Amino acid sequence: MIFILHSFLIVWINRVFLYLNKGPLSGMKINGVHYQTIWEKESDPGMIQILDQRLLPFELKIADLRDPEQYAFAIREMQVRGAPLIGVTAAYGMYAATLQIAGKRDPEKFLGEIAGMLKNTRPTAVDLFYAVDLCLNSILQKSSPDERVDTALSMARKLKAESIESCRKIGEHGLELIRNLKEKKDGPVNILTHCNAGWLACIDYGTATAPVYLAFDQGIPVHVWVDETRPRNQGAKLTAYELSEHGVPHTVIPDNAGGHLMQHGQVDLVIVGTDRTTRAGDVANKIGTYLKALAARDNQVPFYVALPSSSIDWSIRDGIRDIRIETRDEKEVTHMEGWDGEKITEIRVTPFKSQALNHGFDVTPANLVTGLITEKGICEASERGLTALFRDKISSR
Amino acid sequence: MIFILHSFLIVWINRVFLYLNKGPLSGMKINGVHYQTIWEKESDPGMIQILDQRLLPFELKIADLRDPEQYAFAIREMQVRGAPLIGVTAAYGMYAATLQIAGKRDPEKFLGEIAGMLKNTRPTAVDLFYAVDLCLNSILQKSSPDERVDTALSMARKLKAESIESCRKIGEHGLELIRNLKEKKDGPVNILTHCNAGWLACIDYGTATAPVYLAFDQGIPVHVWVDETRPRNQGAKLTAYELSEHGVPHTVIPDNAGGHLMQHGQVDLVIVGTDRTTRAGDVANKIGTYLKALAARDNQVPFYVALPSSSIDWSIRDGIRDIRIETRDEKEVTHMEGWDGEKITEIRVTPFKSQALNHGFDVTPANLVTGLITEKGICEASERGLTALFRDKISSR
């Protein structure tokens, strides 16, 4: 009960701040306008809208979601991506399902099928399964269609608000690191990031980017080195786009460049996100993160990982041994997408007869991680550090 | 005198082997046919031919060179690239100049102007300056036009033969490393390489690739992990093409992937090339090499650098401090070239408003290098190792 009240409070506080549209809660901007990655269309109840991220950074297109099938499509085809955003999108997908149960002969079966369809879109996304199951269980505890609609909608809103709040808190904790670095140097604080752990992967602020946005909004001079992040180019496409639209100074670099920059004192701090963190502090993130962590250690550059605690897998310790790394379509390596001057075009970049291999992630062992920035604060990347911060989570799981 | 005889001997030995077209000297193949990167057109004296490397791997096109201006264009526009190949091309460019001096009022001035034009094509290529000056001095020692033509041609042939011989010897020394690794394991020896230090950068065999080709030609099972090598993609475009045409098993990977593969025991050996090596064994090579060296050390994977001794700069020790790293056009990062299904197309891969930074090289400190593979043998990456192998070169410079 307290939990629900608390959630509603967060939602309302956010609304008030969004209305005022200023201060650290004013949110992320595209071309001067505040956007989130998913929202309810005010003029059309039941209609949810998202940014179609497949076209970024070249085209800004808003997609409408109404039927559960459209939600499944959006997740499967990566109109939306990033664990937190996928979770919230799936939750709204369950809400869309409740809008269609009136008149169904077996509404429970229908809801179960939609849940299954949504969970089948991205087979390795833990947040997705969690969000769908949570929503389905809450919905099934009600019996009338109207109550089910209300429950589903408030559940989706709650997950969304929690995600925003979690990112904001990560931002506040990480902001202190940037502030401390600024006190020790002239010129902007140079922060390197890999892949996109930005607001486009979440709802607002992002995880790895949240400290950067908060620092920027508070007038602390920052500059971001954006790793291109081959093969899918999420850095060059999404992180650079986010930063550019919000006005944050940044430079896109090849994934090969970070070590050289660190050797020459041009990186003050590395902040990356994570897809899965073990209870010992090992971190699975986009392929190439490990190489940057090695360079950071070799050059005494602090290397931090930003994460909502939902990404911690308390069941494993040794990430290199126990995290199975997804092998993705080799076409992401052999081909590349971009703007040919008129439209988005795909080109082949490898010889016709050569094959390629595409591992999605790698594991950075905890001993290379300076600290973990969570919504509860910053801790050492170790079992001791994590358990001290999340005693409640461990005992309750 | 002995040196010249020795050089002619090498040329003739090579010719005999090329004629027989078998054995370890049978050279590199494209679609089953032996190619070098530059050759004299037999049916047309004075005409030199090259592979236009700008179109690889998508189109195989041979370009004709006759006027000195065509040589300058070939080097400037990167129809040819790679230090050894640039040097030999420039030497043939001086030969082309001697073919035009008959009837000139001031042939010495003309030769000097051509030399200046050739040296101006790539401002940081040491091999280029060396080759042009060497040729110009030899030519000016003769007085008749015919003698000058003969001198220029034999100088170009000598430089070419020396480059081939140097690569072949690097191959033979490196081959022993591969053979030893094969004795300790089942399955192919997995070798990772970065950028293109292959025969397309040289005349034949390449430097980093020479041990691989020799091992392959001798039936030792090898497999090459080819780093894509952003931003210019020399790995994905050229190394993969070379290997694929010669029939060597290989897989293209993003530059981000090497660390993960090493963590999982999938790399037995790293061999890369170098653009400049200090007398202390620091190595400047394509940007990103340093990151692979860090991963190799972290996973106890041997990390070797293959080089002709001409790439050693005996005047400096500390590569990170003293090697100036070229900053290249940011367009190489913001754009990418490839095959759109019909033709080679360029696409933009970063947001319109984002800037990029493009450092061409980084420096791998000697302490991360297991050994240097030179034409004289393998040595420790240190001043002690290098001076023991090249006593003559140090005293003579």
Side-chain angles (χ1 to χ4, degrees), chain A residues 184-260:
Chain A
K184 289 182 219 149
K185 71 170 288 192
D186 292 330
V189 177
N190 288 302
I191 299 153
L192 185 143
T193 192
H194 191 70
C195 199
N196 178 255
W199 72 268
L200 290 170
C202 304
I203 311 299
D204 219 336
Y205 309 110
T207 54
T209 54
V212 176
Y213 287 124
L214 265 65
F216 176 79
D217 283 356
Q218 295 195 10
I220 301 171
V222 288
H223 166 262
V224 183
W225 297 111
V226 180
D227 273 359
E228 172 182 40
T229 321
R230 284 281 289 151
R232 286 183 60 84
N233 285 36
Q234 295 97 328
K237 284 189 172 168
L238 302 175
T239 305
Y241 178 75
E242 280 191 11
L243 294 168
S244 126
E245 291 297 331
H246 199 70
V248 181
H250 67 285
T251 307
V252 179
I253 51 172
D255 301 304
N256 283 323
H260 172 71

Side-chain angles (χ1 to χ4, degrees), chain A residues 67-72 75 90-98 100-101 104 107-121 128 132 136 139:
Chain A
D67 289 329
E69 286 72 17
Q70 293 176 309
Y71 288 85
I75 300 170
Y92 275 111
M94 289 306 297
Y95 160 62
T98 61
Q100 299 189 343
I101 51 179
K104 295 264 183 233
E108 287 75 18
K109 186 176 163 222
F110 171 73
L111 289 167
E113 284 167 358
I114 298 299
M117 175 182 73
L118 290 169
K119 286 163 75 174
N120 255 325
T121 49
L128 171 64
V132 171
L136 182 63
I139 294 164

Side-chain angles (χ1 to χ4, degrees), chain B residues 384-395:
Chain B
R384 194 181 55 185
L386 280 171
T387 50
L389 217 50
F390 296 99
R391 275 182 217 289
D392 53 327
K393 296 230 176 187
I394 302 166
S395 54

Side-chain angles (χ1 to χ4, degrees), chain A residues 87 143 171 176 206 221 253 256 267 363 384 397:
Chain A
S143 50
E176 295 310 308
I253 51 172
N256 283 323
V267 182
V363 172
R384 194 181 55 185
R397 287 196 182 195

Side-chain angles (χ1 to χ4, degrees), chain A residues 39-59:
Chain A
W39 63 91
E40 300 167 20
K41 188 172 183 184
E42 284 196 26
S43 60
D44 188 356
M47 174 77 90
I48 305 299
Q49 295 188 303
I50 55 169
L51 300 176
D52 185 345
Q53 300 197 19
R54 298 172 305 172
L55 307 176
L56 294 177
F58 306 112
E59 288 176 32

Side-chain angles (χ1 to χ4, degrees), chain B residues 320-338:
Chain B
I320 295 175
R321 193 190 61 193
D322 294 332
I323 296 179
R324 232 191 96 244
I325 300 296
E326 177 187 359
T327 302
R328 298 179 52 83
D329 191 344
E330 71 169 332
K331 207 180 168 194
E332 292 180 352
V333 180
T334 59
H335 289 67
M336 209 151 165
E337 240 180 29

Side-chain angles (χ1 to χ4, degrees), chain A residues 287-288 291 357 359 362, chain B residues 192 227 253-262 292:
Chain A
I287 189 97
L291 294 170
L357 183 63
H359 287 121
D362 65 17
Chain B
L192 184 143
D227 274 359
I253 52 172
D255 301 305
N256 284 323
H260 172 71
L261 293 173
M262 292 187 209
K292 296 306 145 57

